[in-house]
Amino acid sequence: MTPSYLSHLECSLCRKRFDAQQLQNVCIECGKPLLPRYDLDRLARRWNPDSLWDREPTMWRYRELLPVQDEKNIISLGETNTPLIHTKRLGEHLGLENLYVKDESRLPTGTFKSRGLVMAVSRALELGVKRVAIPSAGNAAEALSVYAARAGLEAFVFMPQDAPLANQLICNATGAKVFLVNGLISDAGKIVRQGTEACGWFDLSTFREPYRVEGKKTMGLELAEQLGWTLPDVIIYPTGGGTGLVGMWKAFEELEHLGWIGKKRPRMISVQSSGCAPIVKAFREGAETAEFWENAETIAGGLRVPGPLADRLILSTIRESNGKAVAVPDSLIQAAMIQMSRSEGLMPSPEGAATLVAAQKLVQAGEVAAHERVVLFNCGTMLKHLDLLQSKDFPILDPKSPVNYKSLIQDP
Ligand SMILES: *Cc1c(COP(=O)(O)O)cnc(C)c1O
Ligand SMILES: [Zn+2]
């Protein structure tokens, strides 16, 4: 018997219902993302937080609220619950008493893309897919390659030619067919859609299949459980395609329906880079949808998404939560990577570091109070971005120059 209470899929815009036991991409009526729905009334009668006590500390502990039907299709590599770290020193520096970092860099592929892709690949496997494709800034391609290898599926990944070398090489090492695109994730996406018919692959682009968001939803479930079934006051999230923001919001809605949390919600703060900020621009202009951002450029590759398909969902989430969208410049992002490392020993990706810059901005503008519980998402590991650490501002002892050591010892 399946533990999943998945009942159907629903269009996020026109509400049309779709069969969840069939492969689906987007809504055939309006082209917008489909969201999985669960039989929450029935689940509420049988499930409570105590049901979790003896379950493994991975995202699969919430399996009733996840879409995989048969456990044998779960191709897990151990998607561990990630720590919620109280960063006191960083907090003091900013003037926040309760600043936390949820450190997603601990996941199997070093980024939170593991959550979404393990779910999407497990469901694709369950529904009979043999061949999958994805456009990506790099981390999603890597996560797909890893989980496709695990599942025994053939993977085709398309990423910008300047995607991090770590992503490119790991995709190759795990056996995916890797294609570098002269352009951005949006150009890679066009190639994947063009190839779908001819090459017979299933398109796993962000929000063009319904299950990556369910994987990302587990960040919200986990956060609530870690805080004793309460929620923080503010969540600061680096937004590209918006799966995490939308997924966590969905998690909170479902938890409230189950009666595990109350009505209170965090203010959801979406962070983008000044070099690619379609959501920030739309938010400021009061628009319901985001315009395509021309000539997108930023060192935070995960945020280089010029035209997110889920723009409406992202914007409505931010507004319903009484949140905000904030753009931060690359120069401050790079400095924040070092700041988080030096003051807390964390190893953030540039996208994760961007959340610190946003937090600082909000505090300075008086939009977050000192006592409020603020959670930053560090979405990935610094290890994929060693190039960003090689700067003249951060010299290291040079092994070719022994004078270096001598002066250290003689003149400490
Ligand atoms: C994909 C990605 C993002 C954006 O995540 P979404 O949930 O799609 O908005 C941010 N940071 C990193 C490191 C990523 O890989
Ligand atoms: Zn629709």
Side-chain angles (χ1 to χ4, degrees):
M1 209 190 74
T2 172
S4 171
Y5 280 68
L6 178 68
S7 63
H8 63 282
L9 303 174
E10 184 186 62
C11 174
S12 57
L13 184 62
C14 76
R15 307 282 162 205
K16 187 177 165 65
R17 279 175 77 111
F18 292 84
D19 182 359
Q21 306 313 325
Q22 302 281 322
L23 268 186
Q24 309 281 1
N25 286 106
V26 290
C27 175
I28 49 167
E29 298 291 333
C30 73
K32 283 292 168 185
L34 300 180
L35 296 173
R37 298 294 179 206
Y38 298 79
D39 189 347
L40 296 175
D41 292 331
R42 196 165 58 90
L43 180 54
R45 291 194 295 272
R46 298 183 197 181
W47 207 39
N48 61 63
D50 291 339
S51 325
L52 302 178
W53 77 272
D54 63 345
R55 296 193 182 179
E56 61 174 6
T58 73
M59 63 184 250
W60 301 101
R61 64 198 274 103
Y62 311 110
R63 58 185 178 258
E64 282 83 346
L65 264 187
L66 300 177
V68 178
Q69 302 294 290
D70 186 336
E71 291 195 26
K72 78 174 193 305
N73 295 317
I74 297 178
I75 49 153
S76 174
L77 289 166
E79 292 68 33
T80 184
N81 298 150
T82 60
L84 185 63
I85 300 169
H86 187 194
T87 48
K88 260 182 95 174
R89 205 190 314 266
L90 262 185
E92 272 165 27
H93 181 75
L94 263 65
L96 291 172
E97 289 153 31
N98 299 297
L99 181 67
Y100 294 82
V101 172
K102 186 143 173 73
D103 192 6
E104 297 282 300
S105 70
R106 320 297 180 89
L107 286 155
T109 65
T111 75
F112 60 16
K113 289 293 190 299
S114 290
R115 294 184 190 264
L117 270 306
V118 70
M119 192 65 74
V121 174
S122 295
R123 277 298 278 162
L125 183 72
E126 184 155 84
L127 296 172
V129 170
K130 300 274 186 272
R131 186 179 260 203
V132 286
I134 202 165
S136 165
N139 289 328
E142 181 181 325
L144 176 60
S145 302
V146 163
Y147 288 108
R150 174 89 172 143
L153 301 184
E154 204 182 351
F156 295 76
V157 304
F158 298 80
M159 62 186 118
Q161 59 196 5
D162 60 354
L165 188 62
N167 292 141
Q168 300 180 24
L169 295 178
I170 293 171
C171 288
N172 197 45
T174 46
K177 311 276 188 310
V178 184
F179 300 92
L180 299 180
V181 175
N182 180 12
L184 300 181
I185 187 173
S186 42
D187 303 294
K190 284 180 206 147
I191 298 172
V192 168
R193 289 196 290 287
Q194 279 165 11
T196 295
E197 208 156 304
C199 306
W201 54 49
F202 185 63
D203 182 354
L204 288 174
S205 304
T206 306
F207 278 114
R208 285 187 187 275
E209 68 77 54
Y211 300 111
R212 283 176 61 181
V213 67
E214 294 301 287
K216 282 284 199 79
K217 180 177 90 176
T218 60
M219 294 189 295
L221 302 174
E222 230 175 86
L223 189 57
E225 185 175 8
Q226 283 169 320
L227 295 173
W229 305 108
T230 67
L231 299 179
D233 298 298
V234 179
I235 289 179
I236 306 188
Y237 186 86
T239 309
T243 18
L245 208 72
V246 172
M248 282 194 278
W249 198 246
K250 185 169 187 285
F252 302 152
E253 235 170 65
E254 290 171 357
L255 287 175
E256 186 185 345
H257 198 127
L258 292 175
W260 293 22
I261 62 170
K263 285 206 172 323
K264 185 182 169 293
R265 292 287 185 278
R267 308 201 292 284
M268 305 296 276
I269 310 294
S270 165
V271 186
Q272 300 200 297
S273 161
S274 319
C276 179
I279 295 297
V280 179
K281 180 164 182 281
F283 179 79
R284 285 201 189 125
E285 292 171 353
E288 276 178 33
T289 59
E291 278 168 46
F292 190 87
W293 187 277
E294 300 294 342
N295 305 317
E297 203 181 321
T298 167
I299 56 166
L303 310 184
R304 203 168 54 161
V305 181
L309 182 68
D311 52 350
R312 240 176 231 283
L313 281 172
I314 299 169
L315 286 160
S316 67
T317 298
I318 298 169
R319 291 194 174 111
E320 264 177 62
S321 79
N322 206 16
K324 209 182 161 174
V326 180
V328 300
D330 278 8
S331 56
L332 295 183
I333 292 176
Q334 201 163 359
M337 285 174 80
I338 302 294
Q339 191 186 359
M340 286 172 93
S341 300
R342 294 199 174 174
S343 66
E344 299 287 355
L346 293 169
M347 291 164 45
S349 67
E351 300 84 355
T355 64
L356 178 65
V357 183
Q360 203 148 15
K361 243 178 124 159
L362 292 174
V363 172
Q364 280 162 4
E367 293 179 43
V368 179
H371 68 275
E372 288 194 294
R373 210 153 53 165
V374 178
V375 175
L376 310 181
F377 270 82
N378 175 36
C379 38
T381 172
M382 184 181 262
L383 285 171
K384 294 183 207 290
H385 304 276
L386 299 180
D387 52 320
L388 295 178
L389 307 179
Q390 292 168 339
S391 144
K392 63 175 174 9
D393 300 333
F394 311 114
I396 53 174
L397 292 179
D398 181 358
K400 286 187 228 91
S401 159
V403 180
N404 241 327
Y405 306 110
K406 282 191 195 136
S407 66
L408 173 72
I409 293 158
Q410 287 161 6
D411 182 20

